[in-house]
Short mmCIF file of all heavy atoms in Angstrom, two decimals:
data_model
loop_
_atom_site.label_atom_id
_atom_site.label_comp_id
_atom_site.label_asym_id
_atom_site.label_seq_id
_atom_site.Cartn_x
_atom_site.Cartn_y
_atom_site.Cartn_z
N GLN A 1 28.28 -11.05 -2.69
CA GLN A 1 28.26 -10.54 -1.34
C GLN A 1 27.47 -9.23 -1.26
O GLN A 1 26.77 -8.99 -0.26
CB GLN A 1 29.71 -10.33 -0.84
CG GLN A 1 30.47 -11.61 -0.60
CD GLN A 1 29.80 -12.55 0.38
OE1 GLN A 1 29.23 -12.13 1.37
NE2 GLN A 1 29.85 -13.86 0.08
N PHE A 2 27.55 -8.41 -2.28
CA PHE A 2 26.76 -7.17 -2.31
C PHE A 2 25.29 -7.49 -2.42
O PHE A 2 24.45 -6.90 -1.72
CB PHE A 2 27.21 -6.28 -3.48
CG PHE A 2 26.41 -5.01 -3.61
CD1 PHE A 2 26.55 -4.01 -2.67
CD2 PHE A 2 25.51 -4.83 -4.66
CE1 PHE A 2 25.80 -2.84 -2.77
CE2 PHE A 2 24.77 -3.67 -4.77
CZ PHE A 2 24.92 -2.67 -3.82
N TYR A 3 24.95 -8.45 -3.29
CA TYR A 3 23.57 -8.90 -3.43
C TYR A 3 23.03 -9.43 -2.10
O TYR A 3 21.92 -9.09 -1.68
CB TYR A 3 23.47 -9.98 -4.50
CG TYR A 3 22.22 -10.83 -4.44
CD1 TYR A 3 20.99 -10.35 -4.87
CD2 TYR A 3 22.28 -12.14 -3.90
CE1 TYR A 3 19.86 -11.13 -4.81
CE2 TYR A 3 21.15 -12.92 -3.83
CZ TYR A 3 19.94 -12.41 -4.28
OH TYR A 3 18.82 -13.20 -4.19
N LYS A 4 23.84 -10.22 -1.40
CA LYS A 4 23.41 -10.80 -0.14
C LYS A 4 23.21 -9.69 0.90
O LYS A 4 22.27 -9.75 1.72
CB LYS A 4 24.45 -11.81 0.37
CG LYS A 4 23.97 -12.62 1.55
CD LYS A 4 25.04 -13.58 2.06
CE LYS A 4 26.12 -12.79 2.79
NZ LYS A 4 27.06 -13.70 3.48
N TRP A 5 24.08 -8.69 0.90
CA TRP A 5 23.96 -7.57 1.82
C TRP A 5 22.62 -6.86 1.61
O TRP A 5 21.97 -6.45 2.59
CB TRP A 5 25.11 -6.59 1.62
CG TRP A 5 25.03 -5.38 2.46
CD1 TRP A 5 25.34 -5.26 3.80
CD2 TRP A 5 24.58 -4.07 2.05
NE1 TRP A 5 25.10 -3.98 4.25
CE2 TRP A 5 24.65 -3.23 3.20
CE3 TRP A 5 24.15 -3.53 0.83
CZ2 TRP A 5 24.30 -1.86 3.15
CZ3 TRP A 5 23.79 -2.20 0.79
CH2 TRP A 5 23.87 -1.38 1.91
N ILE A 6 22.18 -6.76 0.38
CA ILE A 6 20.91 -6.10 0.08
C ILE A 6 19.74 -6.93 0.60
O ILE A 6 18.88 -6.44 1.31
CB ILE A 6 20.75 -5.84 -1.43
CG1 ILE A 6 21.77 -4.78 -1.89
CG2 ILE A 6 19.34 -5.40 -1.76
CD1 ILE A 6 21.79 -4.56 -3.38
N ILE A 7 19.72 -8.22 0.23
CA ILE A 7 18.56 -9.03 0.59
C ILE A 7 18.48 -9.32 2.08
O ILE A 7 17.39 -9.59 2.62
CB ILE A 7 18.50 -10.35 -0.21
CG1 ILE A 7 19.67 -11.26 0.16
CG2 ILE A 7 18.45 -10.07 -1.69
CD1 ILE A 7 19.54 -12.67 -0.42
N ARG A 8 19.60 -9.24 2.77
CA ARG A 8 19.61 -9.47 4.22
C ARG A 8 19.40 -8.17 5.02
O ARG A 8 19.43 -8.19 6.24
CB ARG A 8 20.91 -10.10 4.66
CG ARG A 8 21.20 -11.47 4.02
CD ARG A 8 20.53 -12.59 4.77
NE ARG A 8 20.86 -13.89 4.19
CZ ARG A 8 21.92 -14.62 4.50
NH1 ARG A 8 22.79 -14.15 5.37
NH2 ARG A 8 22.12 -15.78 3.94
N SER A 9 19.19 -7.06 4.33
CA SER A 9 19.10 -5.77 5.00
C SER A 9 17.79 -5.65 5.79
O SER A 9 16.81 -6.34 5.54
CB SER A 9 19.19 -4.63 3.99
OG SER A 9 18.05 -4.62 3.15
N ARG A 10 17.77 -4.72 6.73
CA ARG A 10 16.56 -4.48 7.53
C ARG A 10 15.44 -3.95 6.65
O ARG A 10 14.26 -4.16 6.95
CB ARG A 10 16.88 -3.50 8.65
CG ARG A 10 17.77 -4.08 9.73
CD ARG A 10 17.91 -3.13 10.92
NE ARG A 10 18.72 -3.71 11.97
CZ ARG A 10 18.97 -3.10 13.13
NH1 ARG A 10 18.46 -1.91 13.36
NH2 ARG A 10 19.70 -3.69 14.04
N PHE A 11 15.79 -3.21 5.61
CA PHE A 11 14.76 -2.68 4.72
C PHE A 11 14.00 -3.81 4.04
O PHE A 11 12.76 -3.79 3.99
CB PHE A 11 15.39 -1.76 3.66
CG PHE A 11 14.40 -1.26 2.65
CD1 PHE A 11 13.40 -0.38 2.99
CD2 PHE A 11 14.45 -1.74 1.33
CE1 PHE A 11 12.48 0.07 2.07
CE2 PHE A 11 13.54 -1.29 0.40
CZ PHE A 11 12.54 -0.39 0.77
N ILE A 12 14.70 -4.81 3.54
CA ILE A 12 14.04 -5.95 2.91
C ILE A 12 13.21 -6.72 3.93
O ILE A 12 12.11 -7.18 3.65
CB ILE A 12 15.08 -6.88 2.24
CG1 ILE A 12 15.78 -6.14 1.09
CG2 ILE A 12 14.40 -8.14 1.70
CD1 ILE A 12 14.87 -5.68 -0.03
N GLN A 13 13.74 -6.83 5.16
CA GLN A 13 12.97 -7.50 6.21
C GLN A 13 11.68 -6.73 6.51
O GLN A 13 10.62 -7.32 6.69
CB GLN A 13 13.81 -7.61 7.47
CG GLN A 13 13.05 -8.34 8.61
CD GLN A 13 13.90 -8.53 9.85
OE1 GLN A 13 15.02 -8.03 9.94
NE2 GLN A 13 13.35 -9.25 10.82
N TYR A 14 11.79 -5.39 6.55
CA TYR A 14 10.60 -4.56 6.80
C TYR A 14 9.58 -4.76 5.68
O TYR A 14 8.38 -4.88 5.95
CB TYR A 14 11.03 -3.11 6.89
CG TYR A 14 9.90 -2.11 6.98
CD1 TYR A 14 9.01 -2.16 8.05
CD2 TYR A 14 9.71 -1.16 6.00
CE1 TYR A 14 7.96 -1.25 8.14
CE2 TYR A 14 8.68 -0.25 6.08
CZ TYR A 14 7.81 -0.30 7.14
OH TYR A 14 6.75 0.60 7.22
N LEU A 15 10.06 -4.80 4.44
CA LEU A 15 9.16 -5.05 3.31
C LEU A 15 8.44 -6.38 3.46
O LEU A 15 7.22 -6.47 3.33
CB LEU A 15 9.93 -5.03 2.00
CG LEU A 15 10.38 -3.70 1.41
CD1 LEU A 15 11.17 -3.92 0.14
CD2 LEU A 15 9.17 -2.81 1.11
N ALA A 16 9.22 -7.41 3.76
CA ALA A 16 8.67 -8.77 3.84
C ALA A 16 7.70 -8.93 5.00
O ALA A 16 6.67 -9.61 4.87
CB ALA A 16 9.80 -9.78 3.95
N ASP A 17 8.01 -8.30 6.13
CA ASP A 17 7.20 -8.51 7.32
C ASP A 17 5.99 -7.59 7.38
O ASP A 17 4.92 -8.01 7.85
CB ASP A 17 8.04 -8.26 8.58
CG ASP A 17 8.97 -9.43 8.91
OD1 ASP A 17 8.77 -10.50 8.32
OD2 ASP A 17 9.87 -9.24 9.74
N ASP A 18 6.14 -6.36 6.90
CA ASP A 18 5.11 -5.35 7.19
C ASP A 18 4.44 -4.70 5.98
O ASP A 18 3.31 -4.22 6.11
CB ASP A 18 5.73 -4.23 8.05
CG ASP A 18 6.27 -4.74 9.37
OD1 ASP A 18 5.57 -5.54 10.02
OD2 ASP A 18 7.38 -4.35 9.75
N LEU A 19 5.09 -4.67 4.84
CA LEU A 19 4.55 -3.88 3.74
C LEU A 19 3.87 -4.70 2.65
O LEU A 19 2.86 -4.27 2.10
CB LEU A 19 5.66 -3.01 3.12
CG LEU A 19 6.13 -1.82 3.94
CD1 LEU A 19 7.07 -0.95 3.11
CD2 LEU A 19 4.95 -0.97 4.42
N VAL A 20 4.43 -5.84 2.31
CA VAL A 20 3.89 -6.59 1.18
C VAL A 20 3.20 -7.86 1.66
O VAL A 20 3.50 -8.36 2.75
CB VAL A 20 4.98 -6.93 0.14
CG1 VAL A 20 5.59 -5.65 -0.42
CG2 VAL A 20 6.03 -7.82 0.75
N SER A 21 2.30 -8.37 0.85
CA SER A 21 1.50 -9.53 1.23
C SER A 21 2.25 -10.84 0.99
O SER A 21 3.23 -10.88 0.24
CB SER A 21 0.19 -9.55 0.46
OG SER A 21 0.43 -9.82 -0.92
N PHE A 22 1.76 -11.89 1.58
CA PHE A 22 2.32 -13.23 1.37
C PHE A 22 2.22 -13.62 -0.10
O PHE A 22 3.17 -14.18 -0.67
CB PHE A 22 1.56 -14.22 2.26
CG PHE A 22 1.90 -15.67 1.99
CD1 PHE A 22 3.07 -16.21 2.49
CD2 PHE A 22 1.04 -16.49 1.26
CE1 PHE A 22 3.39 -17.54 2.25
CE2 PHE A 22 1.34 -17.81 1.02
CZ PHE A 22 2.55 -18.34 1.52
N ASN A 23 1.10 -13.35 -0.73
CA ASN A 23 0.91 -13.68 -2.15
C ASN A 23 1.87 -12.93 -3.04
O ASN A 23 2.39 -13.49 -4.02
CB ASN A 23 -0.53 -13.41 -2.58
CG ASN A 23 -1.52 -14.38 -1.95
OD1 ASN A 23 -1.16 -15.51 -1.61
ND2 ASN A 23 -2.76 -13.94 -1.81
N PHE A 24 2.14 -11.67 -2.71
CA PHE A 24 3.08 -10.87 -3.50
C PHE A 24 4.49 -11.45 -3.40
O PHE A 24 5.19 -11.60 -4.40
CB PHE A 24 3.06 -9.42 -3.04
CG PHE A 24 4.01 -8.55 -3.83
CD1 PHE A 24 3.63 -8.01 -5.03
CD2 PHE A 24 5.27 -8.25 -3.32
CE1 PHE A 24 4.50 -7.18 -5.77
CE2 PHE A 24 6.15 -7.45 -4.03
CZ PHE A 24 5.75 -6.92 -5.25
N ILE A 25 4.91 -11.78 -2.15
CA ILE A 25 6.23 -12.37 -1.95
C ILE A 25 6.35 -13.67 -2.73
O ILE A 25 7.37 -13.92 -3.39
CB ILE A 25 6.48 -12.62 -0.45
CG1 ILE A 25 6.59 -11.32 0.31
CG2 ILE A 25 7.75 -13.45 -0.25
CD1 ILE A 25 6.69 -11.48 1.80
N SER A 26 5.31 -14.50 -2.69
CA SER A 26 5.35 -15.78 -3.37
C SER A 26 5.49 -15.61 -4.87
O SER A 26 6.30 -16.28 -5.53
CB SER A 26 4.08 -16.58 -3.06
OG SER A 26 4.01 -16.88 -1.68
N LYS A 27 4.72 -14.69 -5.43
CA LYS A 27 4.73 -14.48 -6.88
C LYS A 27 6.06 -13.94 -7.35
O LYS A 27 6.68 -14.49 -8.28
CB LYS A 27 3.60 -13.52 -7.29
CG LYS A 27 3.51 -13.27 -8.78
CD LYS A 27 2.34 -12.36 -9.10
CE LYS A 27 2.27 -12.09 -10.62
NZ LYS A 27 1.11 -11.20 -10.94
N VAL A 28 6.53 -12.87 -6.72
CA VAL A 28 7.78 -12.24 -7.14
C VAL A 28 8.97 -13.13 -6.80
O VAL A 28 9.90 -13.27 -7.60
CB VAL A 28 7.93 -10.86 -6.45
CG1 VAL A 28 9.30 -10.26 -6.74
CG2 VAL A 28 6.84 -9.90 -6.91
N GLY A 29 8.95 -13.74 -5.63
CA GLY A 29 10.07 -14.60 -5.22
C GLY A 29 10.26 -15.80 -6.11
O GLY A 29 11.38 -16.12 -6.48
N HIS A 30 9.17 -16.50 -6.43
CA HIS A 30 9.31 -17.69 -7.28
C HIS A 30 9.76 -17.30 -8.68
O HIS A 30 10.52 -18.04 -9.32
CB HIS A 30 7.97 -18.43 -7.35
CG HIS A 30 7.70 -19.24 -6.12
ND1 HIS A 30 8.57 -20.21 -5.65
CD2 HIS A 30 6.64 -19.25 -5.25
CE1 HIS A 30 8.08 -20.76 -4.57
NE2 HIS A 30 6.92 -20.20 -4.29
N GLN A 31 9.29 -16.15 -9.17
CA GLN A 31 9.72 -15.70 -10.50
C GLN A 31 11.21 -15.39 -10.50
O GLN A 31 11.95 -15.79 -11.40
CB GLN A 31 8.93 -14.45 -10.92
CG GLN A 31 9.27 -13.96 -12.31
CD GLN A 31 8.41 -12.78 -12.73
OE1 GLN A 31 7.50 -12.37 -12.02
NE2 GLN A 31 8.69 -12.22 -13.89
N ALA A 32 11.68 -14.71 -9.44
CA ALA A 32 13.10 -14.39 -9.33
C ALA A 32 13.94 -15.66 -9.20
O ALA A 32 15.01 -15.78 -9.80
CB ALA A 32 13.34 -13.48 -8.15
N SER A 33 13.45 -16.62 -8.41
CA SER A 33 14.16 -17.88 -8.22
C SER A 33 14.27 -18.64 -9.54
O SER A 33 15.34 -19.15 -9.87
CB SER A 33 13.42 -18.73 -7.19
OG SER A 33 14.04 -19.99 -7.05
N ASN A 34 13.18 -18.70 -10.28
CA ASN A 34 13.21 -19.41 -11.57
C ASN A 34 14.13 -18.74 -12.56
O ASN A 34 14.86 -19.42 -13.31
CB ASN A 34 11.79 -19.51 -12.14
CG ASN A 34 10.89 -20.43 -11.34
OD1 ASN A 34 11.37 -21.35 -10.67
ND2 ASN A 34 9.60 -20.19 -11.39
N ASN A 35 14.13 -17.41 -12.58
CA ASN A 35 15.02 -16.68 -13.49
C ASN A 35 16.47 -16.91 -13.14
O ASN A 35 17.33 -17.09 -14.02
CB ASN A 35 14.70 -15.17 -13.45
CG ASN A 35 13.38 -14.84 -14.10
OD1 ASN A 35 12.85 -15.62 -14.89
ND2 ASN A 35 12.83 -13.69 -13.77
#
């Protein structure tokens, strides 16, 4: 629940929408998912 609170936060949304690229999200996200 703490982990979910972090990933659902406005800060993570701001990162995903405005700060980092689609390619960066794909690379880091797939690596995290696989791990």
Side-chain angles (χ1 to χ4, degrees):
Q1 291 302 321
F2 178 70
Y3 161 76
K4 191 183 72 170
W5 176 78
I6 292 175
I7 66 170
R8 299 276 182 87
S9 67
R10 290 187 178 182
F11 175 69
I12 296 299
Q13 182 177 6
Y14 173 62
L15 284 178
D17 283 347
D18 300 315
L19 288 188
V20 300
S21 69
F22 172 78
N23 289 335
F24 180 83
I25 293 174
S26 297
K27 182 178 179 180
V28 173
H30 282 305
Q31 183 177 356
S33 176
N34 291 334
N35 289 341

